[in-house]
Amino acid sequence: MILTFFDQFSSPHLLGIPLILLSVLLPALLLPIPGNRWITNRLSTLQLWAINTITKQLMIPLNKPGHKWAIILTSLMLLLLMINLLGLLPYTFTPTTQLSMNMALAFPLWLATLLMGLRNQPTISLGHLLPEGTPTLLIPALIVIETISLLIRPLALGVRLTANLTAGHLLIQLISTATITLLPIMPAVSILTATVLLLLTILEVAVAMIQAYVFVLLLSLYLQENI
């Protein structure tokens, strides 16, 4: 039974070929397609408004040099947002429940922000490892602690996104299984469970959007520290 619950997180295969790449690229079809006019219909208007709002929110913690990252951060936000939301549909696979994919997104971008800081302002970047006014006896220990906290950032980004989405999917599957099982035995309890399932689904939609935003927002904060 436990294996059945976790089967939804295994990457789908067709003729031995993993389809995770296809599930990552297909959400891009939902993006607006450039045409001869700036705004072609109401859906394009809504999409452009959403992209503009997301970009503004992501650029708030960044100063002017960090605005060069606007396209990267906005594209990452839209990718995570669409993958997370589409993964809540029945009979779909959510690539962001895979720690390997989340780490593949988090580690290179975190490393890019770190290397940018070491290249542009090495003194300030290294100064983050030792807070000002630290007692002399605590300097070695604090340098080790701050270094570990710095290196663990990409792992925290990947694990946070994976854990939240995995827990939500498991809860939805457990409660939906309980609803179907209780329907012929205790219909009243089954209806109550279905109500809880509906509320949980609404919560998971919010979690999917919030986690995508938090992932990119933390990257922008790491970027701000190094520019």
Side-chain angles (χ1 to χ4, degrees):
M1 193 67 173
I2 296 177
L3 292 177
T4 304
F5 285 144
F6 284 93
D7 279 348
Q8 60 176 318
F9 302 117
S10 59
S11 177
H13 289 73
L14 179 63
L15 300 177
I17 302 173
L19 300 180
I20 185 171
L21 182 61
L22 189 63
S23 62
V24 172
L25 296 179
L26 281 181
L29 298 176
L30 300 177
L31 292 175
I33 301 174
N36 297 327
R37 295 180 294 175
W38 281 105
I39 299 176
T40 56
N41 51 41
R42 293 180 179 178
L43 179 60
S44 297
T45 305
L46 182 61
Q47 288 175 326
L48 291 174
W49 172 82
I51 293 173
N52 186 36
T53 304
I54 290 172
T55 306
K56 285 182 178 179
Q57 290 297 320
L58 293 177
M59 293 300 107
I60 287 176
L62 297 177
N63 51 24
K64 197 168 184 179
H67 292 179
K68 299 175 183 178
W69 286 60
I71 295 179
I72 297 176
L73 295 178
T74 304
S75 301
L76 179 61
M77 173 74 183
L78 292 175
L79 175 67
L80 292 176
L81 189 61
M82 288 187 296
I83 290 177
N84 292 351
L85 291 177
L86 290 176
L88 292 173
L89 297 175
Y91 303 105
T92 56
F93 171 69
T94 312
T96 44
T97 56
Q98 306 296 311
L99 182 60
S100 57
M101 175 183 169
N102 295 335
M103 289 299 298
L105 292 174
F107 184 77
L109 292 172
W110 165 83
L111 185 61
T113 61
L114 182 63
L115 294 178
M116 179 180 295
L118 292 175
R119 185 190 66 177
N120 296 335
Q121 45 181 18
T123 305
I124 298 177
S125 296
L126 293 176
H128 291 157
L129 300 179
L130 185 62
E132 187 177 355
T134 304
T136 307
L137 293 177
L138 295 179
I139 287 178
L142 276 179
I143 291 178
V144 173
I145 293 172
E146 291 295 331
T147 303
I148 294 174
S149 67
L150 177 65
L151 297 178
I152 209 173
R153 282 179 175 182
L155 181 62
L157 283 175
V159 170
R160 181 186 295 107
L161 182 59
T162 303
N164 280 281
L165 295 180
T166 302
H169 283 64
L170 280 175
L171 278 175
I172 288 177
Q173 186 169 1
L174 286 169
I175 296 178
S176 60
T177 303
T179 302
I180 297 173
T181 305
L182 292 173
L183 184 60
I185 305 173
M186 292 180 286
V189 179
S190 179
I191 293 174
L192 179 61
T193 311
T195 305
V196 175
L197 178 61
L198 177 61
L199 296 176
L200 179 62
T201 304
I202 296 173
L203 176 63
E204 284 305 312
V205 171
V207 168
M209 294 187 289
I210 291 171
Q211 288 304 316
Y213 177 69
V214 168
F215 187 93
V216 183
L217 179 63
L218 288 175
L219 277 176
S220 66
L221 293 177
Y222 299 157
L223 176 64
Q224 177 59 29
E225 289 183 0
N226 294 282
I227 57 176

